[in-house]
Amino acid sequence: MSKAILWFRNDLRLTDQPALNAALRKYKAILPVYILDERLLQPDRWGFTRMGPYRLNFLLESLEDLRDDLKEKGSDLLVKVGIPEKVIPELAKAHDCTAVFASHEYTHEELQTEAKLASHLPLHLYHSQLLFNPEDLPFAVEQTPDIFTQFRKRVEKYADIPLPLDPPETIATVAFEAESLPTLESLGYPAPVQDDRGVLAFKGGALAAYSRLDHYLWDTDALASYKQTRNGLIGADYSSKFSAWLANGSISARAIWHEVEAYEAERTKNKDTYWMKFELLWREYFKYVAMRYGRKIFFKGGIQDKSVRWKNSPKALHKWITGTTGDDFVDANMRELLYTGFMSNRGRQNVASYLVHQLKQDWRKGAAWFESLLVDYDVASNYGNWMYAGGVGNDPRDRVFNTQKQARDYDKDGAFRRLWLHEDERDPEEVIAQLGVLQAEHF
Ligand SMILES: Cc1cc2nc3c(=O)[nH]c(=O)nc-3n(C[C@H](O)[C@H](O)[C@H](O)COP(=O)(O)OP(=O)(O)OC[C@H]3O[C@@H](n4cnc5c(N)ncnc54)[C@H](O)[C@@H]3O)c2cc1C
């Protein structure tokens, strides 16, 4: 019997899953696996744990949900902790699988993993993170415009977004010994404390993703005023909060896009509903920037090869990560990130600008701290946005935010700052210690 591995990556879903559909078409049975890359559980070069407890918790919930969905289709999920390019060939050998099916990734480490794996086994890759298939675009990836507006106008005019694929009815699966999923505890992680001030109690998995989609569109009509509310700071509905589910692929960008269009057809079509699609195009754009520029998106000089002298002050960086800089708007946002794993887009723009322009620290340290803490960390969006903030990305202008003016504009009555900086506040040092996301010897 022909057998193949279905390797789940940032595509933790059965709906709109081209790799899964292709594997089932071409092979009699599949082995669904997820490999939790142990390298991501280690500290990075700045001393920050690459995947902190907020995202790991969300990921483990997502895997549990995926396993439940697979079971409903007569299948199951095998989860291992290790190095994918080593573990997958071993599993293939043990289960007589002769090929691997998976989704494309677009960034350096992930591409290296793919290349190593492909030297052991035929690897068939499909685009499941994108809105557009690269071959449908009116330009080659290497010619991705350097200005977002040019990218947007060309793709809006010339490219179609395929409809999401239905999930398979049943999934013929290779027999394997079921194992329990890893837990925070088994991985040596603490359970993060739930802070009730957070925008949302993020719950991983496709079930929660679709329920959030229904909530934001059909139940509350929040989408119909999204452009007006999207710069908010407090609460669940000023923006969609789709990012965390999009980042690990519990839901696809195409599924959201077409649901927005269904909403536009059935309920309201206005500048606000368009703006959700506009923002999804930003996400898309950063994927293409990553494809075009490869490793450069992680370099100090970014895609511009710009030479910038950063100051190296562990003290300043420590103040920034603990939300103790003295700038109350920056500090409130940094506390929200530390205590919940989330920060609004308005907050992210401000704290990034502050780190780069006020503290003059290397933008990559800020990107790495976000990588450790964000529940919605996405390599291309994070590094793409951070390059922007660092003045080494796609925007030729240096965008310096006046954080106090921003506070007056977006937190007029100070409610957001009071929420995160009141007197009997949690101690940020203790929270960092509790989360275990910082190797002290680096500071
Ligand atoms: C310094 C910095 C770092 C960031 N790091 C990340 C990251 O690691 N992961 C991530 O998903 N987003 C990142 N963003 C983008 C943006 O802040 C978040 O996508 C957004 O705040 C998530 O909340 P939401 O889902 O409610 O967004 P909404 O406002 O509801 O937007 C809908 C969707 O559009 C996309 N989107 C919106 N704004 C952006 C943007 N500026 N860039 C790319 N996509 C966007 C997201 O997929 C988002 O879920 C970063 C922004 C900055 C300034």
Side-chain angles (χ1 to χ4, degrees):
M1 184 167 69
S2 65
K3 297 187 247 177
I5 287 185
L6 190 272
W7 173 32
F8 282 103
R9 307 174 85 188
N10 288 311
D11 54 357
L12 304 180
R13 60 178 185 264
L14 303 186
T15 302
D16 203 19
Q17 202 3 313
L20 171 64
N21 290 15
L24 290 173
R25 264 197 316 273
K26 292 179 188 162
Y27 285 78
K28 289 260 183 306
I30 61 156
L31 178 66
V33 304
Y34 181 85
I35 316 298
L36 178 52
D37 194 326
E38 64 188 28
R39 292 167 292 205
L40 302 181
L41 309 179
Q42 304 298 322
D44 63 17
R45 66 166 130 165
W46 320 107
F48 307 143
T49 306
R50 293 197 59 187
M51 190 193 298
Y54 295 121
R55 194 163 66 262
L56 182 59
N57 189 39
F58 187 79
L59 172 63
L60 295 175
E61 289 172 355
S62 308
L63 292 172
E64 208 175 316
D65 185 68
L66 177 64
R67 191 181 56 175
D68 289 347
D69 284 349
L70 282 162
K71 282 184 174 169
E72 274 184 28
K73 305 280 176 188
S75 183
D76 207 335
L77 179 67
L78 185 58
V79 177
K80 297 275 181 196
V81 183
I83 295 185
E85 60 268 33
K86 287 195 184 140
V87 177
I88 292 173
E90 287 164 12
L91 289 173
K93 202 165 162 212
H95 295 277
D96 287 332
C97 296
T98 52
V100 181
F101 286 73
S103 293
H104 274 288
E105 290 281 343
Y106 307 102
T107 38
H108 180 66
E109 288 176 0
E110 289 74 11
L111 294 178
Q112 276 190 318
T113 296
E114 282 171 18
K116 285 184 194 149
L117 182 57
S119 69
H120 293 278
L121 283 160
L123 175 61
H124 305 283
L125 295 169
Y126 299 80
H127 294 290
S128 74
Q129 290 189 18
L130 301 173
L131 292 169
F132 305 102
N133 287 318
E135 54 275 17
D136 295 342
L137 291 192
F139 46 81
V141 165
E142 308 76 61
Q143 268 126 35
T144 300
D146 271 330
I147 309 284
F148 169 70
T149 308
Q150 287 170 11
F151 171 85
R152 179 179 60 78
K153 287 191 171 154
R154 293 192 69 189
V155 297
E156 280 180 339
K157 192 161 176 194
Y158 297 111
D160 279 334
I161 296 173
L163 284 167
L165 304 170
D166 287 334
E169 292 281 318
T170 56
I171 300 177
T173 302
V174 175
F176 67 90
E177 193 108 346
E179 294 175 19
S180 49
L181 298 183
T183 60
L184 286 173
E185 204 183 356
S186 72
L187 295 165
Y189 272 64
V193 173
Q194 172 94 27
D195 193 310
D196 293 338
R197 295 167 294 177
V199 288
L200 203 66
F202 286 97
K203 168 99 182 130
L207 187 64
Y210 278 90
S211 136
R212 179 69 197 163
L213 184 64
D214 281 348
H215 171 90
Y216 201 70
L217 276 60
W218 306 105
D219 300 346
T220 61
D221 289 306
L223 178 64
S225 54
Y226 166 70
K227 188 164 187 270
Q228 300 153 59
T229 59
R230 58 180 282 277
N231 281 311
L233 300 165
I234 302 175
D237 292 344
Y238 63 80
S239 69
S240 73
K241 315 295 186 304
F242 295 152
S243 53
W245 292 283
L246 277 168
N248 75 17
S250 301
I251 192 166
S252 74
R254 286 175 185 167
I256 296 179
W257 183 282
H258 286 289
E259 197 70 10
V260 170
E261 295 209 324
Y263 179 92
E264 290 181 327
E266 283 178 42
R267 254 191 222 167
T268 314
K269 181 175 178 163
N270 59 18
K271 59 182 184 342
D272 301 77
T273 58
Y274 168 71
W275 214 258
M276 177 58 60
K277 298 194 278 186
F278 179 94
E279 293 299 342
L280 289 172
L281 289 175
W282 264 111
R283 173 183 176 277
E284 185 83 354
Y285 180 56
F286 285 127
K287 302 261 179 217
Y288 279 87
V289 170
M291 279 188 246
R292 173 170 175 189
Y293 287 102
R295 283 187 81 182
K296 274 192 173 179
I297 66 168
F298 305 108
F299 289 177
K300 206 198 283 197
I303 62 173
Q304 289 185 31
D305 290 324
K306 205 164 154 183
S307 151
V308 188
R309 276 178 182 268
W310 305 105
K311 289 185 182 160
N312 178 18
S313 165
K315 208 168 151 193
L317 182 63
H318 195 78
K319 284 188 173 167
W320 185 76
I321 67 174
T322 49
T324 52
T325 64
D327 180 310
D328 59 0
F329 192 51
V330 171
D331 291 347
N333 277 293
M334 292 305 292
R335 299 282 181 103
E336 182 187 10
L337 175 66
L338 178 61
Y339 301 160
T340 70
F342 189 83
M343 190 195 295
S344 68
N345 184 57
R346 184 55 36 197
R348 295 181 203 202
Q349 309 276 359
N350 274 277
V351 303
S353 169
Y354 188 86
L355 183 77
V356 168
H357 296 290
Q358 252 61 45
L359 302 178
K360 307 214 181 300
Q361 302 299 300
D362 186 336
W363 65 272
R364 294 172 305 166
K365 296 180 187 173
W369 182 244
F370 271 35
E371 174 171 348
S372 181
L373 286 200
L374 278 179
V375 71
D376 65 11
Y377 169 68
D378 170 282
V379 192
S381 284
N382 192 53
Y383 282 85
N385 274 291
W386 268 101
M387 278 197 301
Y388 244 86
V392 299
N394 299 72
D395 191 346
R397 294 161 299 173
D398 256 347
R399 284 166 184 264
V400 185
F401 282 72
N402 176 339
T403 51
Q404 284 304 303
K405 179 173 184 317
Q406 291 268 312
R408 285 194 296 279
D409 290 348
Y410 296 101
D411 185 30
K412 282 191 187 64
D413 55 3
F416 175 73
R417 282 163 288 172
R418 279 195 305 281
L419 183 65
W420 295 104
L421 298 175
H422 58 76
E423 272 172 18
D424 48 357
E425 189 39 64
R426 293 165 73 187
D427 177 356
E429 302 284 356
E430 273 173 25
V431 177
I432 289 187
Q434 195 267 333
L435 293 173
V437 285
L438 177 64
Q439 303 297 306
E441 66 268 24
H442 285 258
F443 282 88

